[in-house]
Amino acid sequence: MATQIHTRFDDARRAMIDSQLRTSGVNEPFVLKRMADVRREEFVPEAQRAAAYMDRAIRLPDGGFLPAPVFHGMMLAEANPQADDHAVVVDGGSGYLSALLEPLVASLVTIDTQAAVDGKVGKTTPTLLLIDGAIEHLPDALVAKLDDGTRIVTGLIERGVTQLAAGRKVGDGLALVPLTEVGVPRMAAFDRASTWSF
């Protein structure tokens, strides 16, 4: 019985790569290998495992989420992690992105959204920052912990539309450039403060 279950998930993982990643332009060998090796079903509760490879985000019982596979594939491809990178992942609640990234970089720190908002990124200054969800902006406390040249890949919300975005810190400034529209859950901790206008 256990063998049948593993075979079913293995088949679903191959189908995810062929019908979701490749058809969306994600063909980088290192991305396909990591997403073939890491079992998505292990990052959701047992009752949700049948949906682990569907082309949609999964809301987790604790309020977190596992974004759709294509978002993670595009994110990894855009990040192009290097063996000497010191990476920080702002986790959406599943831990899946960190599992994909860990063997590709020199070091990895995984933090939750509150730690990110507070600028707590660990002892090593990151060269690569990945945010596993869609944000409206990067908090000042987090930006302050990034060195000149730090690469950032995240989901970005602009006018209600979520997109994959990438950027780099240059001096005191940081700009995120939208790359492609893709569905990804919102991280409310990164919403801009509401303002009144007339």
Side-chain angles (χ1 to χ4, degrees):
M1 181 67 165
T3 302
Q4 290 177 341
I5 291 171
H6 280 300
T7 300
R8 188 177 79 227
F9 285 131
D10 290 344
D11 290 345
R13 200 172 308 111
R14 282 190 290 272
M16 170 194 74
I17 289 168
D18 292 338
S19 66
Q20 295 178 46
L21 301 182
R22 289 187 184 278
T23 59
S24 298
V26 179
N27 291 298
E28 289 78 357
F30 82 93
V31 176
L32 301 181
K33 180 172 184 345
R34 289 306 299 145
M35 295 191 74
D37 289 348
V38 179
R39 299 176 176 274
R40 275 177 68 90
E41 71 273 15
E42 295 180 359
F43 294 86
V44 296
E46 191 168 348
Q48 294 174 289
R49 288 185 172 182
Y53 294 96
M54 290 184 178
D55 188 16
R56 64 176 178 83
I58 298 172
R59 180 64 62 183
L60 303 176
D62 63 359
F65 50 80
L66 174 65
V70 72
F71 173 69
H72 284 133
M74 289 178 172
M75 174 172 263
L76 272 187
E78 182 61 34
N80 191 24
Q82 302 298 306
D84 60 350
D85 270 326
H86 298 286
V88 169
V89 169
V90 181
D91 185 42
S94 72
Y96 177 71
L97 179 58
S98 293
L100 291 174
L101 186 62
E102 187 170 21
L104 303 175
V105 295
S107 68
L108 174 67
V109 174
T110 302
I111 61 176
D112 62 20
T113 55
Q114 189 57 56
V117 168
D118 293 340
K120 297 177 180 175
V121 297
K123 295 178 181 177
T124 303
T125 302
T127 58
L128 177 63
L129 172 67
L130 300 184
I131 301 176
D132 196 17
I135 66 171
E136 289 186 351
H137 82 295
L138 282 169
D140 291 342
L142 179 56
V143 173
K145 292 299 176 86
L146 307 179
D147 271 351
D148 193 39
T150 299
R151 305 178 335 268
I152 302 105
V153 184
T154 183
L156 181 66
I157 305 167
E158 286 191 333
R159 294 181 288 281
V161 176
T162 59
Q163 305 165 83
L164 180 71
R168 188 179 292 266
K169 185 173 180 184
V170 179
D172 292 330
L174 184 152
L176 294 173
V177 178
L179 302 172
T180 185
E181 192 173 317
V182 61
V184 59
R186 170 188 225 104
M187 286 181 150
F190 294 93
D191 285 355
R192 291 186 187 279
S194 297
T195 57
W196 286 96
S197 63
F198 293 95

